[in-house]
Amino acid sequence: MRNARFVALTLSLVAVCGLSVPAMASADYDSAVLADSPLAFYHLNEASGLVAADSSGNGPATDGLYAIGGVSYGVAGPFPSTGSASAVSLTSGTVDSEVLAGAHTASFWVKPSQRLAQSLLQHGDPAGDGWAIGIAPNNAPRGGKRKLFFQSHGVSVNSKISLASGVWSMVSVSWDAASVSFHLNGGANSKTINTPASWVVPGPAANPALKLGPGAGAGGTSFAEVAIFAAVLTKAQLTAHYAATLLPTVLSPPVLSPLSGVHAGDTLTLTPATYSTATTSSLEWQRCDATGGCTPIAGETGTTYTLATADVDYSVQVEETGTNANGSISGISDATDPVLALLPPVTPPVTPPVTSPTAPTTCLGPLRLAPARRRSVRLGTVRVTLTLNALKRRATLRAKRGTIRSVTFKWDGRRVKPARNKPRTLIIRKAWIKPGKHTLKAIVKPRHGTRRTIKMRLTVTRC
């Protein structure tokens, strides 16, 4: 806070409370951050008191204030081996300051106790010309539920990046008129999102208040090494900041497959993360409910997992932790769609032999599907179409990419499994094809809105 009264208040608090200037977090990390001229830089490693010291070197310093309550000092920091040994945890408390200039990059270390919806860092009013970074609520659109988001002028940009709970992560966000870039742990997981047509770049905030927290959930949210920059920092610059911690550097995040159309009994496979230096890693498979709450699956630490009945209606993901001599860092794979129930076994029909010597011989050919007209419904402005290739016995649902979350097929009222490598295609088995009339249904769950059913009536003939 730049005005003279706040500086005087700060000096008074230091004199009264006998506070000493906190030690630097890490000389290498400090140098990497300070080389990019931050507007403000808070280590948040104070042992007590109300002042959160600004270490940016700008004058006068924009020191912040801790709330009187709801703040826990001296919690374990994100990289103690190379300097950041302590941090603060916020439950109902906040850290409040003022940054008068406009920002285009924010970078901080955060450890949420639970992955619950919350604002992590806010400058001014995000409904106006300010901005905010946080974890999105359950009703966030386009796969943004419980993911990192950036907001300004009331418009949210969702990253689809999950933030691990109970472990430290470095979150960096840069923005300009064209895009918003999210970087986790120095770029181990990065997403650049083109801004929507209605986007307005945050300006020098009319309200300059800078706020951290409050945290959400039992135990709150811990913060350390918060830096605000006027420039749009590149991924290379942010990677250099992270590399100064000497923590494991992730070259590629963990990847789980398949993610859609999975049933109990199917096997999931994880491709583990890769690292730039000698690093040991451990895996934890997690089962997540509709609210985003995740619990470990007991005894599962390998690279494959066969879905169980207990997984039905839950999503499954993997959290991988890499460890070296300086500490640990964690990353989360993308989660599967909600797991579907186990498909019932299909009993092939018994076709009685033709014994009558007078039976016609011209209609004893193989059973075949009659062609069917394609069927369509509209999901908002998008058309979804069910087509049948009678010759290849394939029914395929077609829709604009990104509009459909999942599809379930039913043959004569019984749920049947789509093709593994093409989750929108049903291969119609010969065992199902009995002479007569049949009904094929596709139950479509869109990304937005309510599910719809497309019904197609089919005829099976023998000649």
Side-chain angles (χ1 to χ4, degrees):
M1 302 183 177
R2 299 176 182 274
N3 57 58
R5 189 171 71 176
F6 176 77
V7 173
L9 172 62
T10 300
L11 293 175
S12 174
L13 285 169
V14 172
V16 172
C17 300
L19 297 177
S20 59
V21 177
M24 287 294 186
S26 166
D28 289 342
Y29 188 79
D30 289 349
S31 298
V33 173
L34 293 174
D36 292 318
S37 303
L39 296 169
F41 184 22
Y42 306 98
H43 294 309
L44 303 182
N45 59 356
E46 286 79 12
S48 62
L50 296 180
V51 177
D54 172 22
S55 301
S56 66
N58 293 329
T62 57
D63 292 340
L65 285 178
Y66 292 108
I68 294 177
V71 178
S72 297
Y73 299 91
V75 302
F79 38 98
S81 294
T82 51
S84 188
S86 63
V88 296
S89 182
L90 306 177
T91 49
S92 59
T94 60
V95 179
D96 297 278
S97 184
E98 287 187 354
V99 174
L100 300 179
H104 284 278
T105 299
S107 182
F108 54 95
W109 286 79
V110 63
K111 178 184 176 182
S113 61
Q114 299 181 36
R115 201 167 74 237
L116 299 177
Q118 57 185 291
S119 175
L120 300 172
L121 182 60
Q122 179 176 313
H123 188 202
D125 180 9
D129 63 353
W131 52 268
I133 300 169
I135 301 175
N138 282 337
N139 59 358
R142 298 184 182 179
K145 179 175 66 174
R146 302 291 184 184
K147 304 296 193 296
L148 285 171
F149 75 89
F150 179 85
Q151 185 183 67
S152 181
H153 292 87
V155 178
S156 291
V157 178
N158 294 311
S159 69
K160 300 184 181 180
I161 293 178
S162 294
L163 187 64
S165 60
V167 295
W168 283 102
S169 300
M170 178 182 171
V171 174
S172 306
V173 184
S174 299
W175 59 91
D176 57 20
S179 62
V180 178
S181 295
F182 298 82
H183 303 285
L184 191 64
N185 296 328
N189 193 352
S190 296
K191 296 284 179 67
T192 296
I193 313 296
N194 292 333
T195 52
S198 58
W199 179 254
V200 179
V201 182
N207 173 8
L210 183 72
K211 181 185 292 289
L212 276 75
T221 298
S222 300
F223 292 90
E225 313 300 337
V226 179
I228 311 297
F229 303 86
V232 177
L233 298 193
T234 65
K235 180 179 177 180
Q237 289 173 294
L238 296 168
T239 299
H241 294 186
Y242 177 85
T245 67
L246 303 183
L247 290 172
T249 299
V250 180
L251 299 179
S252 62
V255 177
L256 183 63
S257 64
L259 297 178
S260 60
V262 292
H263 294 75
D266 291 347
T267 298
L268 304 180
T269 301
L270 180 82
T271 302
T274 58
Y275 303 88
S276 63
T277 56
T279 301
T280 60
S281 64
S282 60
L283 304 177
E284 179 180 270
W285 292 78
Q286 299 175 345
R287 184 183 293 125
C288 305
D289 59 25
T291 68
C294 301
T295 56
I297 301 175
E300 297 298 332
T301 58
T303 56
T304 61
Y305 172 63
T306 299
L307 295 168
T309 304
D311 299 317
V312 173
D313 295 330
Y314 290 85
S315 296
V316 174
Q317 66 183 26
V318 180
E319 181 175 318
E320 180 173 359
T321 300
T323 303
N324 66 10
N326 299 296
S328 299
I329 204 74
S330 295
I332 298 178
S333 71
D334 288 337
T336 67
D337 289 341
V339 177
L340 304 173
L342 180 68
L343 292 175
V346 177
T347 304
V350 178
T351 303
V354 178
T355 58
S356 171
T358 60
T361 58
T362 56
C363 290
L364 295 181
L367 293 173
R368 64 182 183 181
L369 285 169
R373 291 186 302 171
R374 65 182 184 177
R375 300 291 180 180
S376 300
V377 298
R378 279 194 173 275
L379 298 176
T381 60
V382 178
R383 180 178 293 274
V384 180
T385 303
L386 181 65
T387 61
L388 173 71
N389 186 323
L391 182 62
K392 294 184 177 180
R393 307 193 320 278
R394 293 183 179 180
T396 303
L397 189 80
R398 303 184 184 280
K400 183 179 179 181
R401 185 175 181 181
T403 60
I404 300 302
R405 186 174 61 187
S406 65
V407 59
T408 302
F409 291 101
K410 288 186 177 181
W411 179 273
D412 289 342
R414 181 172 56 190
R415 182 179 290 184
V416 289
K417 189 175 180 179
R420 182 181 295 271
N421 60 340
K422 295 181 179 180
R424 294 185 187 174
T425 297
L426 177 69
I427 308 299
I428 300 172
R429 300 181 185 177
K430 291 182 179 180
W432 306 342
I433 305 177
K434 297 182 290 187
K437 303 289 186 180
H438 297 272
T439 301
L440 173 65
K441 292 182 180 180
I443 298 92
V444 185
K445 292 183 180 180
R447 291 288 180 187
H448 311 289
T450 57
R451 70 179 186 178
R452 298 289 300 276
T453 299
I454 307 178
K455 182 186 296 185
M456 178 181 287
R457 297 193 181 278
L458 305 175
T459 302
V460 176
T461 61
R462 188 179 280 279
C463 53

